Amino acid sequence: MRLVFAGTPEAAVPSLRALIDSPRHEVVAVVTRPDAPAGRGRKLLRSPVGALADEHGIEVLTPEKAGAPEFLDRLRELAPDACPVVAYGALLPQRTLDIPPHGWVNLHFSLLPAWRGAAPVQAAIRAGDEITGASTFRIVKELDAGPVYGVVTEPIAPTDTAGALLGRLADSGARLLLSTMDGIEGGSLRAVPQPEDGVTYAPKVTVDDARVSFADPAVAVDRLIRAVTPDPGAWTLFRGERFKLGPVELTGETGLAPGELRVERKRVLAGTATQAVRLGEVQAQGKKRMAATDWARGTRIEQGERLS
């Protein structure tokens, strides 16, 4: 089939690569978000998906809006049979959805109808789900509500961060998306409506959402930190300044007030509403990321000081 692929971040790259390598399909163009400033110099950078397309000499389209008339004209000229989508990052109006005969087919990183929305992986970890996965479905006007072509499942390990889990789902999801496009081309695959029960939503995670409260139980602290690692990154306050946190370890020990620090020779503990957690990597304001024990050695932590 003739395909126009839509995607932006690194998690979409395995899917694009799989479709480019497939002898059954031709990726005639890629749609991605416009180049964005990055780094200290704020230099404009191509998205990971756009960069891969450039490497293969594939036309890259970067519309400000997916319903722009000039973009729709070019899409019609390209005449795709279908448009696979992975984390494109913009809404697709109905006039855009109507162009390819087989529609826009999205790879979403959850087992739909669970965790519709922008941050399904983060939501699954924070909720304590033991199993998640990826789904392919045909995009409709309602958010992530279209009929499903196929799914793959993935266990969530007790130490998984959102970054680690998303990396695995990006790879297994790429294989699912390729098999979905193969099935659509061959006429052997039909989409099945999602069940009405079990719908949950996963909105975009903000920096404020990533603030850790040590007044919460240790399990909740652990899940939140892992859910927002690496992006946007967990944080709290120490001495009134932002203090970034990497994943922690539950210790089963009690006796520390919420946020209260205890420095030992080989570990740094922080109290929660239930048990203490062992801090992993931390980053104080204006400092580099380092092990909590190294940070503590260079910081005179007084008895009773807390993360808040």
Side-chain angles (χ1 to χ4, degrees):
M1 288 193 297
R2 287 176 61 84
L3 304 178
V4 170
F5 181 89
T8 299
E10 190 65 38
V13 167
S15 290
L16 176 56
R17 185 176 289 114
L19 293 170
I20 290 173
D21 292 342
S22 171
R24 299 182 61 171
H25 308 289
E26 179 188 8
V27 180
V28 296
V30 158
V31 184
T32 191
R33 300 298 294 150
D35 297 358
R40 291 185 177 181
R42 308 305 289 166
K43 181 180 179 181
L44 289 178
L45 291 181
R46 191 71 117 180
S47 74
V49 162
L52 180 61
D54 289 339
E55 291 176 14
H56 289 268
I58 298 171
E59 180 179 354
V60 177
L61 306 174
T62 57
E64 289 289 345
K65 294 184 178 180
E70 60 273 19
F71 169 67
L72 296 182
D73 289 344
R74 182 56 184 147
L75 192 60
R76 294 188 187 98
E77 291 172 356
L78 291 166
D81 298 303
C83 295
V85 185
V86 185
Y88 170 48
L91 294 177
L92 300 168
Q94 191 62 49
R95 59 185 177 276
T96 307
L97 297 177
D98 290 340
I99 291 178
H102 292 291
W104 294 68
V105 180
N106 192 32
L107 171 65
H108 183 76
F109 297 117
S110 81
L111 298 176
L112 292 169
W115 303 130
R116 296 175 180 175
V121 174
Q122 293 93 327
I125 291 176
R126 188 167 186 179
D129 294 353
E130 295 181 352
I131 298 290
T132 187
S135 309
T136 49
F137 70 96
R138 182 160 178 162
I139 295 178
V140 297
K141 187 175 181 179
E142 186 180 351
L143 178 66
D144 297 338
V148 173
Y149 287 104
V151 300
V152 292
T153 59
E154 180 72 34
I156 301 178
T159 57
D160 265 338
T161 63
L165 180 56
L166 181 58
R168 299 201 305 274
L169 289 172
D171 290 335
S172 61
R175 295 189 292 271
L176 172 63
L177 183 61
L178 178 59
S179 66
T180 297
M181 303 316 295
D182 290 348
I184 292 173
E185 180 200 32
S188 62
L189 194 59
R190 295 290 183 271
V192 177
Q194 294 183 34
E196 296 181 2
D197 296 332
V199 176
T200 51
Y201 291 94
K204 182 179 179 179
V205 178
T206 68
V207 172
D208 287 342
D209 294 330
R211 182 174 183 176
V212 178
S213 170
F214 286 88
D216 291 337
V219 169
V221 170
D222 166 57
R223 289 176 182 172
L224 171 59
I225 294 174
R226 290 188 293 111
V228 298
T229 299
D231 184 50
W235 63 279
T236 187
L237 294 178
F238 179 68
R239 295 177 180 172
E241 295 185 329
R242 184 165 295 196
F243 188 76
K244 297 180 180 180
L245 299 161
V248 299
E249 178 184 335
L250 305 185
T251 67
E253 300 180 27
T254 59
L256 290 177
E260 183 181 356
L261 293 168
R262 184 166 74 208
V263 179
E264 300 177 352
R265 190 166 66 89
K266 293 186 177 181
R267 61 181 189 168
V268 179
L269 304 183
T272 72
T274 52
Q275 58 179 289
V277 296
R278 179 179 181 174
L279 301 184
E281 288 192 332
V282 301
Q283 185 175 5
Q285 188 81 14
K287 302 291 185 180
K288 294 182 179 180
R289 200 170 187 88
M290 65 184 72
T293 48
D294 293 336
W295 164 75
R297 276 195 290 268
T299 306
R300 292 183 178 274
I301 299 174
E302 299 179 3
Q303 185 175 357
E305 280 199 287
R306 301 185 183 191
L307 302 176
S308 61

